[in-house]
Amino acid sequence: MIRTTARPARWRAYAVGCVAALGIAAAAVPAAAASAADGNDRYTAEEIHTFLEDFYGEHGPGDFARKYGISPQLKEKVADNPEFDVLLCAQNIPASIDIGPVTTAQSARVGWATVSTHWNGGSGKADFTAYVDLDATRPIQLLDVDCGSGS
């Protein structure tokens, strides 16, 4: 009888420890990477918009975003242009950044949005297009940036 009552207590402690460890691990995974809400293993326009807002922030991507938030091909493009910030299509830090509406091309498995950078206290503006992979079986990443699409 003693053995039966001792075993469930140990089991509960073990189970609580496992649940706590899983909770910590789950909290470390970004929400966008953890779910593909459209059911087809593709990121939604809302998820892409959130990613781009987080990626660019208020004044441009930080070191972590630059290292882990871009595709290998885009990393090469950045490395090939050391005098120009390819991710911002600029040479300086903007005063602020806005992300426009996201368009998704499900058949091409890519989504994109216009990124607007504001300069000189908001009096100057430049636009470019940021492209994101829709494949939600992988972490969300910036695929490419088209600096020549300004309006």
Side-chain angles (χ1 to χ4, degrees):
M1 188 73 164
I2 295 172
R3 187 174 192 192
T4 309
T5 58
R7 185 173 281 166
R10 268 187 279 153
W11 176 250
R12 276 193 298 268
Y14 176 75
V16 168
C18 288
V19 169
L22 288 172
I24 291 169
V29 175
S35 71
D38 81 345
N40 294 317
D41 288 333
R42 291 182 220 147
Y43 291 110
T44 64
E46 182 178 327
E47 289 171 319
I48 291 170
H49 194 273
T50 300
F51 167 75
L52 289 172
E53 284 182 333
D54 291 344
F55 182 87
Y56 280 105
E58 190 64 28
H59 303 289
D63 293 338
F64 186 85
R66 289 175 183 276
K67 184 172 183 179
Y68 299 106
I70 64 175
S71 70
Q73 296 82 4
L74 188 52
K75 284 181 185 177
E76 288 179 19
K77 189 175 178 179
V78 168
D80 290 344
N81 295 286
E83 301 297 319
F84 183 73
D85 190 341
V86 172
L87 302 180
L88 286 170
C89 294
Q91 291 180 321
N92 299 317
I93 298 172
S96 65
I97 299 174
D98 294 319
I99 308 299
V102 172
T103 302
T104 59
Q106 300 297 326
S107 60
R109 297 187 69 87
V110 69
W112 64 90
T114 299
V115 178
S116 300
T117 52
H118 303 278
W119 306 89
N120 303 325
S123 63
K125 179 182 164 193
D127 294 335
F128 60 91
T129 305
Y131 296 91
V132 177
D133 188 358
L134 294 183
D135 187 356
T137 63
R138 299 184 300 235
I140 194 166
Q141 286 189 327
L142 191 65
L143 285 180
D144 200 4
V145 175
D146 182 2
C147 298
S149 64
S151 54

